[in-house]
Amino acid sequence: MSVWCWLLIPCLFTSSSAHNDFFTSIGQMSDLLFTEKDLVSSLKDYIRAEEDKLEQIKKWADKLDVLSSAATQDPEGFLGHPVNAFKLMKRLNTEWGELESLVLTDMSDVFISNLTIQRQHFPNDDDQIGAAKALMRLQDTYQLDTSSISSGQLPGLSSLDSHRTTLTVDDCFDLGKVAYLEADYYHTELWMVQALNQLEQGEVSTAVDTVTILDYLSYSVYQQGALQQALHFTRRLLELDPTHQRAIGNLKYFKYQLSKQKKVEQGEAKRQRQESRVQANDYLPERKTYEQLCRGEGVRMSPRRQSRLLCRYHDNNHHPRYVIGPVKEEDEWDRPRIVRYHDIVSDKEMEKVKELAKPRLRRATVHDPQTGKLTTAHYRVSKSAWLGAFEHPVVETINQRIEDITGLDITTAEELQVANYGVGGQYEPHFDFGRKDEPDAFEELGTGNRIATWLLYMSDVAAGGATVFTDVGAAVQPKKGSAVFWYNLYLSGEGDYRTRHAACPVLVGNKWVSNKWIHERGQEFRRRCGLQETD
């Protein structure tokens, strides 16, 4: 190793102590579009005062004016495209700061004052990095190639979609740089190759050149064990810059390593190199199953089982509220039994719930089995808020509807949790109930374990965002206004491990849901036909 040295490449982002997690909620991110539009308007006022001297800034403003005007016509739809959300993060976190530096020598007090005030609410470095990671998460889960993402050609979008946008060379380089700083050389290679391809196709970049990209590429493929390819990229780099000192040292080192490799049995060496060029091992043992279900490649139910899934009108044993107008109930799965209730809430009710929740959306939390307390987790990427029945009649109405339809007592249930999944938003496989190895999971509530889950979809999702049950292979698609319901416990009180489920990453769109977790206390178990002793 003494014959060469990898110099530290300057970091793309500065460190930041705050983490706002804007990228996890499109509901909140839409506010940023209007903020950006206001900033553009303020900037144009400044330009009119000094237009002759600030022609460069005027071009910037015109570009953003067009973008913001289009985006704010349908902010949630616009931000439903993950590339738009990533570029919004990048503009507000990086490019607006560069603009501020440009105008510092002679600026309008009104514009700078406005920008300075608004930047307090802008996404930070962590948010931009999070948006980049979200794109890579979508790339892996839905097996998308970098060219499709870069060109904006995503499943669920037509070629004429008004929200379709593209990534520049600089955008692709930034994505690769994020992966590099995380020592994720697999994605570093993918995005640096995409940046290189776009440069070679004639796209112009003012921030990065071919030499820099090749520098990253040679190192990332070397780290994955591909010495021959690392040598290839290094030679290409030296053709462009023969004086590049690091590349000169690397060339010698790679040649030395290849000569050593030839002394090893060729078949074994080839096998080792091939095996190393894959993604790093994942902590989630069911990752493959989870992602297959998200892509719609899950287990198919046999025709015989499928024939037993029925649709019916449900009045919960002639409940007074539903004798005349029963609800539409559909079987989604048989073991465990998962049912969907269609048209269970109105658009007006859903919009009110979103309105109530939006101001208080915070990064969603999970129960830590070690401490028994709530904490954020990297495997749950969404924002949520809790709504009590006392806060608005619509919340009380929804709670009462859940009780009437399920026949379960909700006086001991948790408050209505509203969640908004943004770019790449997901919740990896988990159980809703507390297991034996975490007996204190819901101790502070004093209401026993979670007997059942009610999941209400408050938006349609153009692509992705399914609720999947990894143990049995079920996949439930979001449908606005419908709710799915299942029991988490057997009649004995034992947990039903088949209910392990996950929220797939949102590929295109904006996913709003609300959950009602119903607890044991107050329920008469043997009167609940949905519970089973064994299966």
Side-chain angles (χ1 to χ4, degrees), residues 116-393:
T116 302
I117 292 171
Q118 294 296 345
R119 285 193 69 184
Q120 299 177 62
H121 310 291
F122 279 9
N124 58 26
D125 292 343
D126 286 338
D127 292 320
Q128 184 175 337
I129 291 171
K133 288 181 178 180
L135 275 179
M136 287 181 251
R137 184 161 59 246
L138 294 173
Q139 178 182 0
D140 296 339
T141 302
Y142 297 105
Q143 296 183 340
L144 304 173
D145 56 65
T146 54
S147 61
S148 294
I149 299 175
S150 182
S151 63
Q153 296 176 338
L154 302 179
L157 289 177
S158 69
S159 59
L160 301 177
D161 196 293
S162 60
H163 301 310
R164 178 179 167 184
T165 191
T166 61
L167 293 173
T168 65
V169 169
D170 297 343
D171 295 331
C172 295
F173 176 79
D174 289 347
L175 285 164
K177 189 70 175 289
V178 168
Y180 174 83
L181 294 174
E182 296 285 322
D184 177 2
Y185 302 112
Y186 172 80
H187 287 106
T188 302
E189 178 188 357
L190 292 178
W191 283 104
M192 291 299 174
V193 166
Q194 182 62 34
L196 183 64
N197 289 340
Q198 290 182 209
L199 269 183
E200 292 176 340
Q201 290 167 8
E203 188 176 327
V204 177
S205 169
T206 57
V208 64
D209 56 21
T210 303
V211 168
T212 303
I213 294 174
L214 288 171
D215 199 7
Y216 277 98
L217 267 176
S218 61
Y219 185 62
S220 63
V221 298
Y222 160 73
Q223 286 287 0
Q224 297 176 82
L227 278 170
Q228 192 67 52
Q229 196 168 3
L231 185 62
H232 166 71
F233 286 131
T234 303
R235 283 172 171 158
R236 284 188 61 185
L237 190 160
L238 288 171
E239 289 175 2
L240 298 172
D241 183 2
T243 64
H244 198 288
Q245 292 302 306
R246 183 166 54 248
I248 292 172
N250 292 345
L251 184 67
K252 296 177 182 178
Y253 178 75
F254 294 151
K255 286 181 177 179
Y256 169 69
Q257 289 293 322
L258 280 170
S259 66
K260 284 179 60 179
Q261 199 172 72
K262 289 178 181 179
K263 297 177 183 179
V264 182
E265 184 180 351
Q266 292 297 315
E268 177 66 12
K270 181 179 180 181
R271 185 186 67 81
Q272 290 177 350
R273 290 197 299 274
Q274 288 176 336
E275 289 181 351
S276 64
R277 295 293 299 284
V278 296
Q279 289 177 259
N281 290 332
D282 196 281
Y283 69 93
L284 187 66
E286 61 202 301
R287 168 70 61 188
K288 183 177 180 180
T289 301
Y290 164 52
E291 294 186 347
Q292 284 178 332
L293 287 169
C294 290
R295 293 192 298 270
E297 302 170 1
V299 177
R300 292 289 181 263
M301 189 180 290
S302 68
R304 184 175 181 180
R305 285 177 63 190
Q306 184 73 37
S307 67
R308 296 173 179 169
L309 301 182
L310 304 173
C311 297
R312 66 189 71 80
Y313 284 104
H314 174 77
D315 62 10
N316 192 19
N317 295 321
H318 306 294
H319 190 285
R321 289 191 178 93
Y322 296 103
V323 171
I324 296 178
V327 297
K328 291 177 283 187
E329 183 184 71
E330 177 184 5
D331 294 328
E332 286 281 353
W333 204 257
D334 56 350
R335 299 190 298 268
R337 187 169 184 242
I338 305 168
V339 297
R340 187 196 297 263
Y341 297 101
H342 293 273
D343 304 319
I344 209 67
V345 291
S346 67
D347 287 343
K348 185 177 180 180
E349 289 172 325
M350 288 184 283
E351 289 308 310
K352 175 53 70 174
V353 170
K354 294 177 190 177
E355 179 186 326
L356 293 169
K358 187 175 177 181
R360 63 177 90 168
L361 287 173
R362 299 292 182 272
R363 180 70 184 266
T365 56
V366 298
H367 277 279
D368 186 331
Q370 302 298 323
T371 65
K373 297 181 179 179
L374 293 174
T375 183
T376 59
H378 61 88
Y379 54 82
R380 185 177 193 184
V381 185
S382 65
K383 282 197 170 183
S384 65
W386 298 86
L387 300 179
F390 64 89
E391 298 188 53
H392 194 279

Side-chain angles (χ1 to χ4, degrees), residues 474-523:
V476 180
Q477 299 300 323
K479 183 177 181 182
K480 187 176 182 180
S482 72
V484 291
F485 174 78
W486 67 87
Y487 283 94
N488 296 305
L489 306 179
Y490 288 111
L491 181 62
S492 64
E494 293 291 318
D496 186 346
Y497 284 78
R498 301 170 304 175
T499 61
R500 185 169 171 83
H501 61 286
C504 294
V506 176
L507 178 57
V508 177
N510 184 18
K511 181 180 176 183
W512 283 91
V513 299
S514 58
N515 300 287
K516 194 72 174 179
W517 285 297
I518 304 170
H519 285 249
E520 291 177 298
R521 183 161 297 176
Q523 315 303 335

Side-chain angles (χ1 to χ4, degrees), residues 421-433:
Y421 293 81
V423 185
Q426 64 172 9
Y427 191 179
E428 292 182 356
H430 62 282
F431 299 102
D432 280 351
F433 61 88

